[in-house]
Amino acid sequence: MTGVQAVRGMNDALPQQTPTWQHVESLLRNAFAAYGYREIRLPLVEKTELFARSIGADTDIVTKEMYTFKDRNGDSLSLRPEGTASCVRAGIQHGLFHNQQQRLWYIGPMFRHERPQRGRYRQFHQAGVEAVGWSGPDIDAELIALTARLWGALGLAPPTLQINSLGSPQSRLRYRARLVAFLATRRAELDVDSQRRLDTNPLRILDSKSEQTQEVVAEAPTILDDLDDPSREHFAELCRYLDAAGIVYEINPRLMRGLDYYNHTVFEWITTALGAQGTVCAGGRYDGLVELLGGRPVPAAGFAIGLERVVDLLKPQHELRQTPDVFVVTLGAQARQLGFTLGERLRDRGLQVEYYCGDGGLKNQMKRADKSGAAIALLLGEDELESGIVTLKPLRLSASQRRVPLCDAEAATTKLVNESENASNEH
Ligand code: HAM
């Protein structure tokens, strides 16, 4: 019988990969805290209706990509394809938006049944941020500044920032009518998918991947011409904030986003370093969503970062490894026990200690100690026991080994670990 494999498009993060994930997650937490955002934890499963109503019943996500199933009592549930809908649902349910503004963030797996390829998975991870209760362009700018700061903290060359405005719902409707009128005259030149969208979700035709459709789209009217004065001013002010903060951007009037809830500002950070799936972060304003989901009207904006894509970008630059400070090597039953308790005492001092469990010759154990990447090997053999000493062998530095009295072992080990750390920081 062949072994059971993971579901296609759903990946394991192996021990050599998790340090990079942890590194990214910890920088994210710091960046969110620096702007006053607080964490919210949300369920992975919600009622299907929540996503259909918020993301849009005609979107690709809802029509083709959701993992939807019947609960035992017949309710239709879905694995969450994104976090905004859940975040807004939770905020309404718990009264978080009642006369209050909220800066929230979340992190975790999302599920979409897309065709897997590099950067596109069926289970993927997002870190999302939602600012609920502010209507001005300054919070849009804050969201963008937060992400810009994050690229810096991660040591990444900033991806390209594209921004656009979808305006108010009214200006969007006006534009939609104008776009449909234009595209209807060129219907035969559109790809089949776009022809279908002309009747269901025409704005999505603008970011069609089909070259032939893109040639038509290049001649289409743009939404920026249909903005009403307040929308135009919101967008102009956002640009002024970004200019003042020194954040470089491109205005892409064809940037529409694949979810229906957006209005006014939308943005994407796009890199060319990852092949076809280059959007590492995307978001925008969604002023109508809280009301649409049953709350009082409250403006809101947010974004989500695709963590697999960020981890992929970091790969060439980062060889992070989780390594112990000390590896305990023992020979003989008595030394084994002493080494075990010594390990516990070193952990009490905050050190990371790996203990060689089970029987093993010196050579084997030393090989394992080297492989572990530990700073120090602590050796306890019969000789050592008899004379009441331990041997400390630096593994990362070319310093010679030291023999110290058993009663000093903890202090001496801690000191040597610190020395080794300082020396490697200097390099
Ligand atoms: P989204 O554009 O659907 O927006 O996803 C945001 C990001 O998640 C994408 O830019 C990409 O980096 C990542 N992503 C999406 N699908 C996949 C996939 N199949 N595999 C790997 N990564 C993927 C949203 O989800 C909105 N909720 C963002 C938002 C928050 N807008 C306002 N607040």
Side-chain angles (χ1 to χ4, degrees):
M1 189 179 129
T2 52
V4 180
Q5 305 275 313
V7 177
R8 200 161 109 82
M10 302 205 182
N11 300 315
D12 304 302
L14 299 177
Q16 66 266 30
Q17 297 160 338
T18 50
T20 309
W21 281 86
Q22 289 166 1
H23 174 67
V24 172
E25 286 158 8
S26 112
L27 290 176
L28 282 167
R29 280 171 220 278
N30 292 343
F32 297 156
Y35 287 81
Y37 287 79
R38 298 183 302 156
E39 185 182 7
I40 183 163
R41 299 196 179 189
L42 303 159
L44 301 194
V45 178
E46 298 272 2
K47 292 187 182 146
T48 304
E49 183 198 349
L50 172 70
F51 301 119
R53 266 164 71 183
S54 55
I55 298 169
D58 293 323
T59 56
D60 282 353
I61 297 180
V62 170
T63 54
K64 302 196 239 173
E65 297 169 2
M66 283 210 298
Y67 284 87
T68 296
F69 57 95
K70 285 260 187 286
D71 197 359
R72 286 186 189 276
N73 55 16
D75 293 339
S76 179
L77 304 181
S78 298
L79 298 184
R80 60 180 189 187
E82 57 110 48
T84 309
S86 305
C87 189
V88 169
R89 193 262 317 132
I92 297 170
Q93 189 173 335
H94 301 287
L96 300 186
F97 308 145
H98 264 289
N99 305 321
Q100 296 173 66
Q101 295 168 315
Q102 296 284 350
R103 286 184 164 93
L104 303 168
W105 67 268
Y106 49 83
I107 192 166
M110 308 290 162
F111 302 86
R112 295 183 195 176
H113 194 274
E114 296 189 81
R115 201 168 44 77
Q117 65 178 90
R118 180 179 180 193
R120 187 165 69 192
Y121 308 102
R122 291 182 173 169
Q123 175 176 318
F124 60 98
H125 296 76
Q126 282 185 347
V129 163
E130 314 293 352
V132 184
W134 289 270
S135 59
D138 47 356
I139 197 94
D140 305 1
E142 175 180 294
L143 293 166
I144 290 173
L146 194 169
T147 34
R149 184 176 294 274
L150 197 65
W151 312 135
L154 286 162
L156 294 174
T160 302
L161 171 63
Q162 292 194 351
I163 60 173
N164 189 23
S165 174
L166 306 183
S168 63
Q170 293 81 346
S171 44
R172 195 166 159 181
L173 273 179
R174 240 188 345 260
Y175 175 62
R176 186 187 150 115
R178 216 150 67 87
L179 182 69
V180 169
F182 169 83
L183 290 176
T185 64
R186 311 281 297 265
R187 190 179 197 114
E189 296 166 61
L190 301 176
D191 64 287
V192 180
D193 234 18
S194 298
Q195 289 186 5
R196 185 183 49 78
R197 282 195 174 129
L198 199 48
D199 305 315
T200 56
N201 202 349
L203 297 182
R204 289 294 288 159
I205 296 174
L206 295 181
D207 34 41
S208 158
K209 295 271 183 298
S210 150
E211 262 177 44
Q212 166 198 342
T213 299
Q214 273 309 325
E215 278 173 27
V216 180
V217 161
E219 295 168 36
T222 79
I223 195 157
L224 293 175
D225 300 328
D226 276 299
L227 294 185
D228 49 32
D229 287 345
S231 304
R232 206 180 288 278
E233 183 46 31
H234 185 108
F235 193 53
E237 204 166 332
L238 167 67
C239 294
R240 286 196 287 274
Y241 272 103
L242 297 179
D243 292 337
I247 296 171
V248 180
Y249 56 88
E250 282 173 11
I251 295 174
N252 174 1
R254 300 186 207 291
L255 182 69
M256 287 292 140
R257 311 278 298 116
L259 305 93
D260 282 353
Y261 48 62
Y262 293 110
N263 66 315
H264 290 302
T265 310
V266 289
F267 63 92
E268 294 196 357
W269 290 91
I270 304 167
T271 169
T272 49
L274 293 177
Q277 302 304 318
T279 306
V280 282
C281 171
R285 178 159 282 286
Y286 51 92
D287 294 328
L289 187 57
V290 179
E291 188 179 16
L292 184 74
L293 293 178
R296 288 197 213 147
V298 188
F303 67 77
I305 298 174
L307 296 184
E308 277 76 6
R309 297 181 189 179
V310 171
V311 166
D312 198 359
L313 279 178
L314 278 179
K315 250 186 224 156
Q317 298 176 23
H318 263 269
E319 261 304 311
L320 291 172
R321 242 185 109 188
Q322 188 184 331
T323 52
D325 298 314
V326 183
F327 194 101
V328 178
V329 171
T330 61
L331 284 175
Q334 225 189 330
R336 224 155 107 183
Q337 251 187 27
L338 191 60
F340 185 89
T341 45
L342 207 49
E344 284 298 297
R345 294 216 296 273
L346 291 171
R347 291 184 193 102
D348 288 344
R349 288 174 165 252
L351 295 184
Q352 291 182 20
V353 183
E354 199 170 319
Y355 169 77
Y356 186 96
C357 281
D359 275 330
L362 181 63
K363 214 166 135 201
N364 244 339
Q365 292 197 48
M366 283 309 295
K367 240 196 224 161
R368 286 275 288 278
D370 272 328
K371 213 170 149 206
S372 77
I376 311 286
L378 185 154
L379 289 97
L380 256 180
E382 271 148 18
D383 286 357
E384 275 95 351
L385 269 190
E386 241 169 57
S387 37
I389 57 147
V390 296
T391 302
L392 300 177
K393 186 170 163 41
L395 297 177
R396 289 188 208 150
L397 304 176
S398 54
S400 52
Q401 63 183 41
R402 299 176 197 180
R403 288 158 68 83
V404 300
L406 204 48
C407 56
D408 289 341
E410 292 158 51
T413 308
T414 312
K415 190 162 164 261
L416 207 56
V417 166
N418 289 339
E419 279 172 23
S420 164
E421 209 147 87
N422 292 341
S424 56
N425 285 343
E426 275 162 25
H427 278 95

